[in-house]
Amino acid sequence: AAMALAREAADGEAGELRLGFVSAALYRHLPRLLRRLRDELPGVRPYLFELSSNEQLAAISEGDLDIGFTHPPFGTGERLDILTFPDEKLIAVLPKDGGPDRVTLGELAARGLVLFPKEQGPATHARILDAFAAAGQEPQIVQEATRALTMLSLVSAGLGAALLPRSTQVLSFEGVRYASIADDRLPAFSLSAIARRRPRRAVIDKVWKVLAVVAAEATPGS
């Protein structure tokens, strides 16, 4: 059995996988990858770490993480393999108060925003505020939060409104409602999978091929 395990590890069929992810990967792409690994590479042992994009980039650069689900752009000199998933529109998360299913940027600004810190995604953060400014709005950021579940909790408590990827709607969270946004100026949320190009273990190459299939299946028209 030990010899068989060693052969599988050498061929990339078995081994440890250190997998980082941001909240946006939880609702669709990460579960699909884990299901495929269970079916196609049962000898792979995933260890999951919920980390910000910047934390993942640092961990991959230092060799502490094998693959990450992150938000671009990637401010690193590390040579990376990158798989891109379809962009997602942002959706408003509001207290469950019987309000409409569609809101304006002005209505969101009036409530105040629960938003991720600038350091977590500087480009997207700036584009969100620019969209409000273009609509003649200057929202107050009433609370910063780094995780989607934290944002949902804060919105449920009535602290403000949040902006999250549309796939977040799969979560049924007490005290919140989801609404589309009547403005096309807000940026879409981008998600990519990244891995250090070389050196890396054979098991990472195998997992990367499986992940490429997951990304292709998620792309419309593929």
Side-chain angles (χ1 to χ4, degrees), residues 22 50 69 74 85 91 96 114 119 126 133-134 137 140 150 152-153 162 173 178 187 190 210 219:
V22 291
E50 186 171 5
F69 284 92
F74 310 116
F85 293 87
I91 195 166
K96 195 169 186 179
V114 177
E119 295 76 19
Q137 304 295 328
Q140 178 186 3
T150 306
L152 290 170
S153 295
F173 199 92
Y178 300 99
S190 300
V210 174
T219 302

Side-chain angles (χ1 to χ4, degrees), residues 45-187:
R45 302 184 304 279
Y47 294 88
L48 304 181
F49 304 89
E50 186 171 5
L51 302 167
S52 71
S53 294
N54 288 339
E55 289 170 337
Q56 291 184 59
L57 288 168
I60 285 177
S61 181
E62 294 166 7
D64 297 327
L65 199 67
D66 299 311
I67 292 175
F69 284 92
T70 68
H71 296 302
F74 310 116
T76 177
E78 190 74 49
R79 296 187 66 191
L80 301 172
D81 280 332
I82 301 172
L83 290 170
T84 301
F85 293 87
D87 288 348
E88 279 194 76
K89 288 186 176 180
L90 289 173
I91 195 166
V93 186
L94 302 148
K96 195 169 186 179
D97 52 11
D101 295 331
R102 189 171 178 82
V103 296
T104 66
L105 293 183
E107 290 169 327
L108 293 176
R111 291 177 177 269
L113 292 183
V114 177
L115 194 61
F116 58 88
K118 180 180 178 180
E119 295 76 19
Q120 188 171 335
T124 303
H125 191 281
R127 289 180 64 196
I128 288 173
L129 296 185
D130 287 346
F132 278 93
Q137 304 295 328
E138 188 175 352
Q140 178 186 3
I141 299 176
V142 295
Q143 183 67 51
E144 291 185 336
T146 60
R147 303 289 186 260
L149 285 176
T150 306
M151 291 184 181
L152 290 170
S153 295
L154 295 172
V155 170
S156 176
L159 269 69
L163 300 169
L164 288 171
R166 186 175 293 276
S167 59
T168 310
Q169 291 179 97
V170 301
L171 295 177
S172 178
F173 199 92
E174 184 177 357
V176 306
R177 63 183 174 91
Y178 300 99
S180 61
I181 302 169
D183 195 295
D184 59 3
R185 283 174 282 206
L186 283 171

Side-chain angles (χ1 to χ4, degrees), residues 3 20 23 27 32 42 45-46 54 81 95 105 111 126 134 146 175 198 209 222:
M3 290 176 64
S23 299
Y27 316 121
R32 288 178 179 175
R45 302 184 304 279
N54 288 339
D81 280 332
L105 293 183
R111 291 177 177 269
T146 60
R198 289 290 182 271
K209 290 178 181 178
S222 62

